[in-house]
Amino acid sequence: MAEPISRVQLFRVMVDNQEKFGNPMGISSKRMVEWADDIPFTSSSSSSTYIYTGGLYQMMPKAERFVELMKRAEESSGLSFALRFLGGSAASTLASKLIGVDHDKFERSKAIIRNASRLLRKSGIEHSYLGRDEPYTGILFYELGMEEYFIDVARKAAKLFREKGVKKLITIDPHSTYALRELYPDFLDSFDVEVLHYLEVAKPSRNDTWKGKATVHDPCILSRRLKLSSNYREFLEALGIEYTEPARSGRMTFCCGGPIESIAPAVSTKISELRCSQLAEKGDKAVVACPICLSNLGRCGYSRDRGGSNARIEVFDALELVHVG
């Protein structure tokens, strides 16, 4: 087996993408904002409240391909050598050409974000959107141990929020929420933007189109860092979703495998397959509230017919269950 690509090389690719595109996966600003094409946002001159996507839902379809590339590099001496030999920006360019984006999964991500915005409006929360100016929090760099670079990205984001007059951000994923609400005040001086997760403010109506039960998967950051497990379940109850609890739930939830997928994809896959098996013990549907969990557990579930996990489970994001018509 070929020697794996080093973490340093992987980090260089992500930093290069951040410098070029404003996010570690190298998604263009045009693609980042496609979800908002048909959304009538409140003018920024009349509202200092903004929906904040953080780019995670948009990035995950490409992140999945990125992980697949890492797996191929582990198995292919030619590809591994090419990425090692090129390094830095050249490796990033080659990786971008090889990776691409799954169209159907990208469209699914767009629909999830649109549902978030429409749900907020139905809940009486008028909001604006920074569009192509929306900065990335840098949370992936923090989670990978690149603290100094995370602080640099965070400072630039905080500066932009000040310049745009942002007073309140409504977030849609736990990782961005944790970065903005817990890490920014710790690492930056005078970061005074109010940060709320949609589970804390949205008022969903009953969705009678949903059939069956769903097993609840608690994202680690959502339950342990943000302590929003109760909000998560109240949200599902308001939707009329009948849910069941797996063996590990709430603060004792089990990892989806996401935190290490970019540096140890094979180990990450084994963890996600184990979690899928735990969820599948309770039924054939599961609900998550995190784009990374959706990607990892969803991929595990879909892979069952290709010789992967034996779990028989379909994974939904909580924002896919809302009725916004």
Side-chain angles (χ1 to χ4, degrees):
M1 178 179 291
E3 186 178 357
I5 297 172
S6 74
R7 293 181 183 180
V8 172
Q9 287 175 305
L10 176 63
F11 295 169
R12 282 178 180 165
V13 171
M14 292 180 177
V15 169
D16 191 55
N17 280 333
Q18 178 66 33
E19 298 299 321
K20 284 184 177 178
F21 300 99
N23 63 80
M25 286 296 118
I27 302 291
S28 71
S29 60
K30 180 182 178 181
R31 298 221 75 183
M32 277 286 187
V33 303
E34 282 182 10
W35 69 271
D37 284 348
D38 56 350
I39 302 291
F41 294 104
T42 303
S43 168
S44 58
S45 61
S46 57
S47 174
S48 58
T49 297
Y50 289 76
I51 185 172
Y52 180 78
T53 75
L56 286 191
Y57 277 100
Q58 299 95 315
M59 283 190 280
M60 288 319 297
K62 191 164 186 177
E64 288 189 22
R65 293 289 182 87
F66 194 85
V67 172
E68 290 174 8
L69 177 65
M70 294 300 102
K71 288 181 179 177
R72 286 164 53 194
E74 286 181 344
E75 299 167 358
S76 167
S77 58
L79 179 57
S80 180
F81 176 78
L83 292 174
R84 279 177 163 277
F85 178 76
L86 292 170
S89 60
S92 175
T93 300
L94 175 60
S96 295
K97 289 182 180 298
L98 291 172
I99 291 174
V101 175
D102 185 300
H103 175 75
D104 290 342
K105 290 184 178 179
F106 191 74
E107 290 299 312
R108 184 182 183 186
S109 294
K110 287 164 55 178
I112 289 171
I113 306 171
R114 279 197 292 270
N115 275 1
S117 181
R118 288 168 175 159
L119 174 61
L120 292 178
R121 183 155 287 107
K122 283 192 69 173
S123 303
I125 302 169
E126 296 299 324
H127 55 278
S128 188
Y129 174 49
L130 289 169
R132 295 192 183 197
D133 290 330
E134 184 184 83
Y136 176 59
T137 61
I139 184 62
L140 181 59
F141 300 112
Y142 176 82
E143 291 172 347
L144 291 174
M146 304 168 67
E147 189 172 293
E148 290 188 7
Y149 190 67
F150 163 73
I151 294 172
D152 183 54
V153 173
R155 284 179 178 147
K156 292 175 181 174
K159 180 175 183 290
L160 187 139
F161 291 144
R162 285 196 300 273
E163 292 172 348
K164 295 292 183 181
V166 175
K167 299 298 183 184
K168 181 187 293 185
L169 292 170
I170 309 295
T171 57
I172 62 174
D173 77 86
H175 293 262
S176 299
T177 309
Y178 178 62
L180 293 166
R181 193 151 83 186
E182 306 294 335
L183 300 179
Y184 276 34
D186 282 347
F187 287 106
L188 306 179
D189 294 330
S190 306
F191 182 74
D192 59 356
V193 176
E194 183 181 8
V195 180
L196 295 168
H197 189 277
Y198 78 88
L199 289 175
E200 298 174 285
V201 296
K203 301 174 182 175
S205 56
R206 187 178 179 85
N207 182 4
D208 291 322
T209 64
W210 171 266
K211 305 297 180 186
K213 295 181 180 179
T215 306
V216 180
H217 168 74
D218 289 274
C220 299
I221 300 294
L222 190 83
S223 60
R224 294 178 185 149
R225 301 290 184 179
L226 301 176
K227 299 179 174 58
L228 295 179
S229 291
S230 296
N231 301 67
Y232 184 17
R233 283 155 180 75
E234 290 168 4
F235 185 85
L236 295 176
E237 289 165 5
L239 288 169
I241 305 297
E242 188 176 357
Y243 60 84
T244 57
E245 302 281 355
R248 300 280 298 271
S249 65
R251 289 181 57 79
M252 299 303 293
T253 187
F254 195 84
C255 182
C256 73
I260 61 169
E261 67 175 349
S262 58
I263 57 176
V267 176
S268 172
T269 298
K270 290 184 180 300
I271 294 172
S272 62
E273 287 180 351
L274 177 56
R275 183 52 168 170
C276 274
S277 296
Q278 294 173 353
L279 297 172
E281 289 177 359
K282 297 292 182 176
D284 60 358
K285 296 184 178 68
V287 59
V288 302
C290 171
I292 296 176
C293 295
L294 179 66
S295 173
N296 278 277
L297 299 178
R299 189 165 65 246
C300 169
Y302 293 135
S303 71
R304 64 183 184 273
D305 295 329
R306 302 199 299 269
S309 166
N310 291 322
R312 301 286 179 182
I313 192 165
E314 189 173 9
V315 183
F316 298 87
D317 191 280
L319 284 168
E320 292 181 290
L321 309 184
V322 302
H323 181 65
V324 293

